[in-house]
Amino acid sequence: MSRWCQGLAWLVVLVALPVAISAPSAHAQDPGSETEAAPVIVRPALISPAPSVERIIRRRGLAVAPIVRVTVGVDGSVSSVEVLQGPDGPARQRLIAEVEALRFSPATRDGLPVAVRIDYALPVPSTPAWRGRGRRGIEPVPVVAEGVYGVVLERGTRTPLAGIPVQVLNDDREALAETVTGPDGEFALPNLPQQSFTLWVPAFDHEPLERPVTVPIEQALTLRLQPNSTSRYKTVVTGKTADAVKIVIPVQQAREVAGQNGDPIKVLESLPGVARPSAAGAGAGQISIRGSAPEDTKYYVDGLPLFQLYHFANVYSVLQDEWVKNIDYRPGGFSAEYGNAMGGLLNVTLDDLKRDNIHGHVDVNVFHAAVLVTAPISDEWAIGVGFRRSYIDVILDAVLDGDGFSLTAAPRYYDYQIRADWRPDDRQTLRLTWFGTDDLLAVVNEAPSEQDPSFTGFRLARRFHQIQGSYTNQLSDRLGLRLGLATSYQQLEIQPGGFDFELTFDPITLRADLEYRESPELKLRGGLLTTITRFNVLANIPAPDKEGEVDTPGSSRPTINETDGGFTYELAAWAEATWKPVEDLTLIGGMRLLGYAGNNLSAVALDPRLLARWDIDNDAALTLAAGMNHQSPQADETSTSFGAPTLTTERSMYINLGYKQQLGEFLEFDVQAFYKDLADLVTNTDAFGAAPYDNAGVGHVLGAELLLRLNHPIVNGWVSYTLSRSRRRDRPGEPERYYSADQTHVLAVVAGVDLGANWRFGLRFRYATGNPFTPLAPSYYDASADVFVPAAAAAPLSSRIDGFTQLDVRIDKTWI
């Protein structure tokens, strides 16, 4: 009952917190870059003898090795000693005092000393503790056998577990011998007497294991340890970065969030700064971050651009979760390493392919069927293949039958991934990936629409095929190299009614980054990124409405009937320096130079970025970030045929103030306040004979975000709350209005409870203020199109739809 009570108590705390955070009105959600080279980390090693510690152990007659959690500083000294397993009373204090006197070789990260927190199992003497003062009788000399040896694996995944203590106990539960598993999980306890013992593996990240053994053993033992929640849902801890805000969610935790169909990448919709995406309409599934347009946010896979994050309507992401390592989300104020984005960015970091054995899975759910296989082909190479195909077309065809719709090509999607990893040593990694998707949705009305008789249905097709490679090499303890190359074919087809729009892209992206650590106080980073894109546009559609305008029937708007094509070029060079003038202060300054050319866009922009971080103590930090972002207009907006070749880049200036606090062992508090000033936004001109677009738009976004994360072994999750106001002015002299995806309050509560016996309960609650809309009234009757054309009946975007509330519950049972 205690486990259930603890879980219930933490769950009540996590769910009740939002009530104290805000009460929305009726009108009305950290690490070096995940794409950097994997750091080379060397654990600290004990270099000083500990005879007094051994005396304490002998005096107490302990059968189980004491385990302490210590912080090892950059000089190898020990601080912050916590006894996880050991004696009580005065002996505990003596043990702490002796442990504090130990000296270790400092841990290193890429060759530089770093402070780390480790769990250290103190050695138990191989001879039993002496008890009593009387002379013992003569005992026969034991027959010594070969001993006990084997391997320790994680149950279910067969992952070798390194650094796990393994003990041999006698009948009195006294430890006769102890060892620690090696890098491949192997262990050996030689020269044991020829008799029966108990093999004991203490609990930490895994449940304890006890097994009787008789020496000599006939074959090597395989010990399988059951993982607990502590090991499954570890918080990702990374070094300090140049990003004002960086949230990294481990894929295992993201996968089990309720309401996401097991798709970890959809966790993005439950994080701070992200407005709830619409489920229907022209903007269905589009992600708006910190009050910016969906096209202002960029997506990456291993640091290389990703054309499409989700399948249509955000049903599933385009990447199978088995190969995803972390979801790295940055809502704003990011490093100079990234640019051409005034919103946020999401980088999906792929995990290394397993090389120990053949692995695979089969996934069958109500949306699709999937298969994935990974296999090693040598000590250095591993390959993998994955494929998914939906059968939503079969379900919807039956549901919509007889309801006035005819599905000429029912909704369906497929995606595939082919991978090859080369890892000759710990310093080099080459990852080759070929992946793609194909989405198709086509619906035909059996009867004309009353609102727009010309609309007889629509067809939407999206597909891309991308080949990319990324190579990282830690050239030395100070110098690291990362290279990336990606090319793809991207196509978007939209056919509303009798119209047609087809856009094709063929980009090639090359990036090269270097990182140099001059000293623990100074780090330099820089790189180049270039993208050359060939595009073709075929348009026979009504002129599109821009953001904030009244949505009028397509048949009443002027028609664009043009073909365009050509090349666009983007070249970016960036540099960044991280400097620690004093122990608790970190200054990070960066500069990004961007150049755009082609498709009648010729512009140069300079984006300075600055971040200051003050580490108040080991558990609290204050950050201040400011900078600028420029972004190129969309391809259709600068088209010579139906756009405005005179457009220039859009601009955003930002400032971000943040405070992060670790509250005890399990709770983390992070609050961010931000302001963005927007200028040179692309808007319609509506002037006779003028270009259709210019850069007259301005705006601003003001808000705050709260993220409260709980990482308890039984309950984990987070509370995410965003308070935001996003405003725009389309042209000088016009009144200011809300941005069409503005949501004043966005709240998400995510919780998972480990119920024991591999049962897990998950909950997600979401609330969002309704989006603004413009009240409409009939303006005039267009006889040629046979439609009533609406006009604004009030100020633009002056009303709001009702708020959105959602509760998802999930229950899991795993059989291992």
Side-chain angles (χ1 to χ4, degrees):
M1 288 296 294
S2 62
R3 187 181 190 89
W4 282 81
C5 291
Q6 291 183 55
L8 182 60
W10 278 107
L11 182 61
V12 169
V13 170
L14 194 62
V15 173
L17 278 169
V19 178
I21 294 172
S22 71
S25 66
H27 300 288
Q29 98 144 265
D30 295 57
S33 175
E34 293 296 330
T35 62
E36 297 177 6
V40 178
I41 299 176
V42 178
R43 289 174 56 86
L46 183 65
I47 58 176
S48 65
S52 55
V53 174
E54 293 189 2
R55 287 198 298 273
I56 293 174
I57 297 172
R58 292 178 186 273
R59 188 180 303 116
R60 299 291 296 179
L62 298 176
V64 178
I67 299 177
V68 293
R69 179 170 293 169
V70 300
T71 299
V72 180
V74 295
D75 60 350
S77 62
V78 173
S79 62
S80 180
V81 179
E82 177 186 357
V83 179
L84 303 179
Q85 177 176 283
D88 297 321
R92 175 179 288 249
Q93 299 305 317
R94 289 197 297 272
L95 181 63
I96 292 176
E98 296 297 338
V99 171
E100 288 177 341
L102 297 178
R103 297 285 296 184
F104 289 80
S105 62
T108 61
R109 187 177 191 270
D110 293 338
L112 299 177
V114 292
V116 296
R117 181 174 293 177
I118 64 171
D119 294 335
Y120 180 66
L122 295 163
V124 172
S126 58
T127 58
W130 177 261
R131 295 184 181 182
R133 298 184 180 180
R135 181 184 293 274
R136 300 182 62 179
I138 298 175
E139 298 179 356
V141 177
V143 178
V144 177
E146 293 182 358
V148 177
Y149 56 95
V151 65
V152 178
L153 307 176
E154 183 177 76
R155 189 179 178 195
T157 67
R158 303 177 185 174
T159 302
L161 299 177
I164 301 295
V166 180
Q167 300 176 352
V168 169
L169 310 181
N170 62 15
D171 293 340
D172 296 328
R173 308 284 301 175
E174 295 176 328
L176 301 181
E178 179 184 36
T179 188
V180 176
T181 58
D184 297 324
E186 74 285 353
F187 70 93
L189 294 160
N191 301 324
L192 294 175
Q194 198 172 50
Q195 64 184 69
S196 297
F197 299 99
T198 298
L199 208 59
W200 169 253
V201 181
F204 180 58
D205 279 355
H206 298 76
E207 301 295 336
L209 182 141
E210 182 175 317
R211 173 183 292 187
V213 294
T214 300
V215 178
I217 60 174
E218 297 181 357
Q219 59 183 5
L221 303 176
T222 299
L223 307 182
R224 294 183 172 88
L225 302 186
Q226 174 71 40
N228 58 29
S229 295
T230 304
S231 62
R232 294 177 64 204
Y233 302 102
K234 289 181 179 177
T235 301
V236 175
V237 179
T238 54
K240 297 177 176 61
T241 73
D243 306 285
V245 187
K246 184 171 182 177
I247 301 171
V248 180
I249 304 295
V251 67
Q252 180 64 28
Q253 185 178 17
R255 182 187 292 122
E256 297 186 354
V257 173
Q260 296 182 178
N261 305 320
D263 188 345
I265 298 179
K266 292 185 70 176
V267 73
L268 173 66
E269 299 174 17
S270 301
L271 296 179
V274 180
R276 185 191 74 85
S278 300
Q286 294 185 338
I287 302 295
S288 176
I289 296 178
R290 283 192 175 180
S292 293
E295 60 267 22
D296 295 351
T297 292
K298 296 297 186 288
Y299 305 106
Y300 301 88
V301 174
D302 278 345
L304 293 168
L306 177 64
F307 166 67
Q308 178 183 334
L309 183 64
Y310 293 117
H311 292 294
F312 60 83
N314 291 23
V315 176
Y316 269 91
S317 61
V318 300
L319 300 171
Q320 290 211 44
D321 63 288
E322 189 75 12
W323 287 340
V324 174
K325 181 179 181 181
N326 293 321
I327 293 91
D328 167 9
Y329 165 63
R330 311 178 208 188
F334 37 81
S335 161
E337 176 184 353
Y338 294 96
N340 198 27
M342 300 194 305
L345 69 87
L346 182 80
N347 182 40
V348 178
T349 304
L350 298 180
D351 204 357
D352 292 334
L353 296 179
K354 297 178 180 179
R355 295 182 292 168
D356 60 325
N357 211 326
I358 297 176
H359 296 267
H361 78 220
V362 174
D363 176 22
V364 179
N365 57 47
V366 297
F367 292 101
H368 62 233
V371 62
L372 180 144
V373 178
T374 300
I377 58 176
S378 71
D379 292 339
E380 299 178 352
W381 283 93
I383 60 173
V385 177
F387 181 79
R388 286 192 298 196
R389 210 290 189 181
S390 72
Y391 30 72
I392 303 176
D393 47 354
V394 178
I395 299 174
L396 285 187
D397 197 20
V399 171
L400 296 179
D401 186 29
D403 288 343
F405 292 93
S406 173
L407 296 177
T408 59
R412 64 106 179 103
Y413 62 83
Y414 72 77
D415 58 58
Y416 66 90
Q417 298 162 57
I418 302 173
R419 287 188 52 188
D421 285 7
W422 178 62
R423 192 176 179 87
D425 50 50
D426 292 336
R427 290 180 173 268
Q428 297 183 80
T429 300
L430 174 65
R431 181 175 296 148
L432 304 175
T433 308
W434 179 15
F435 60 103
T437 69
D438 192 304
D439 295 3
L440 178 62
L441 172 62
V443 178
V444 176
N445 288 8
E446 295 180 350
S449 169
E450 294 181 359
Q451 288 76 24
D452 189 355
S454 67
F455 182 79
T456 58
F458 68 93
R459 182 178 186 272
L460 170 65
R462 290 191 306 182
R463 61 184 61 90
F464 79 90
H465 307 279
Q466 180 160 322
I467 299 176
Q468 70 177 53
S470 58
Y471 173 74
T472 59
N473 190 340
Q474 192 65 33
L475 300 172
S476 68
D477 293 340
R478 293 186 175 185
L479 184 62
L481 169 69
R482 179 182 59 176
L483 299 174
L485 176 64
T487 182
S488 63
Y489 170 81
Q490 306 167 6
Q491 185 179 49
L492 172 65
E493 295 181 38
I494 305 175
Q495 296 177 350
F499 299 104
D500 185 31
F501 176 81
E502 181 177 325
L503 177 62
T504 303
F505 285 98
D506 299 293
I508 298 177
T509 299
L510 172 65
R511 69 174 301 166
D513 304 328
L514 282 173
E515 177 179 311
Y516 178 72
R517 296 175 182 267
E518 171 63 28
S519 66
E521 293 77 27
L522 180 62
K523 180 176 71 172
L524 304 175
R525 301 172 62 225
L528 294 171
L529 181 142
T530 180
T531 300
I532 302 175
T533 304
R534 186 187 61 143
F535 71 94
N536 285 287
V537 182
L538 172 63
N540 178 25
I541 57 172
D545 294 318
K546 298 297 290 183
E547 185 272 327
E549 294 184 334
V550 173
D551 187 11
T552 56
S555 57
S556 66
R557 300 198 299 269
T559 300
I560 297 175
N561 191 353
E562 298 286 351
T563 300
D564 197 5
F567 288 85
T568 61
Y569 308 90
E570 176 188 350
L571 176 62
W574 65 277
E576 186 177 83
T578 301
W579 178 45
K580 294 190 67 173
V582 294
E583 178 64 27
D584 298 326
L585 179 64
T586 303
L587 300 176
I588 304 175
M591 191 75 70
R592 187 177 184 89
L593 177 64
L594 304 99
Y596 303 98
N599 196 28
N600 293 285
L601 174 66
S602 180
V604 176
L606 190 63
D607 289 349
R609 318 272 175 86
L610 179 64
L611 181 141
R613 179 185 290 106
W614 175 36
D615 295 316
I616 301 173
D617 53 38
N618 290 333
D619 297 324
L622 184 67
T623 58
L624 176 64
M628 184 180 297
N629 287 301
H630 283 84
Q631 178 177 296
S632 62
Q634 300 302 299
D636 63 301
E637 295 171 341
T638 57
S639 168
T640 56
S641 300
F642 44 85
T646 57
L647 290 179
T648 187
T649 56
E650 299 177 306
R651 189 266 295 162
S652 168
M653 297 180 63
Y654 67 86
I655 184 169
N656 192 103
L657 178 65
Y659 177 76
K660 181 181 290 187
Q661 173 77 53
Q662 184 73 34
L663 304 174
E665 184 178 356
F666 304 116
L667 206 57
E668 181 183 83
F669 172 86
D670 189 350
V671 63
Q672 304 286 332
F674 60 89
Y675 176 80
K676 292 197 298 186
D677 180 76
L678 310 176
D680 299 328
L681 303 181
V682 175
T683 57
N684 276 348
T685 58
D686 293 330
F688 180 77
Y693 309 120
D694 63 12
N695 292 97
V698 296
H700 67 269
V701 185
L702 176 66
E705 299 164 353
L706 167 70
L707 180 64
L708 189 66
R709 298 180 72 168
L710 174 65
N711 285 284
H712 189 271
I714 299 175
V715 180
N716 66 77
W718 64 86
V719 174
S720 162
Y721 173 67
T722 303
L723 175 67
S724 174
R725 191 178 86 161
S726 181
R727 304 277 285 178
R728 301 287 190 275
R729 178 176 284 109
D730 295 322
R731 309 199 66 77
E734 292 188 0
E736 193 177 64
R737 62 170 177 82
Y738 280 106
Y739 170 61
S740 56
D742 174 79
Q743 295 174 7
T744 308
H745 305 279
V746 182
L747 173 69
V749 182
V750 176
V753 183
D754 184 2
L755 304 177
N758 294 319
W759 283 94
R760 183 170 178 81
F761 171 79
L763 174 147
R764 182 181 71 168
F765 172 80
R766 291 200 296 169
Y767 170 83
T769 304
N771 286 14
F773 73 93
T774 302
L776 301 179
S779 175
Y780 64 90
Y781 174 70
D782 186 342
S784 61
D786 191 23
V787 295
F788 284 94
V789 179
L797 300 169
S798 56
S799 298
R800 288 187 182 270
I801 63 175
D802 294 336
F804 169 85
T805 304
Q806 179 180 4
L807 177 65
D808 300 292
V809 176
R810 174 184 171 116
I811 188 78
D812 291 89
K813 167 63 177 177
T814 302
W815 287 268
I816 299 179

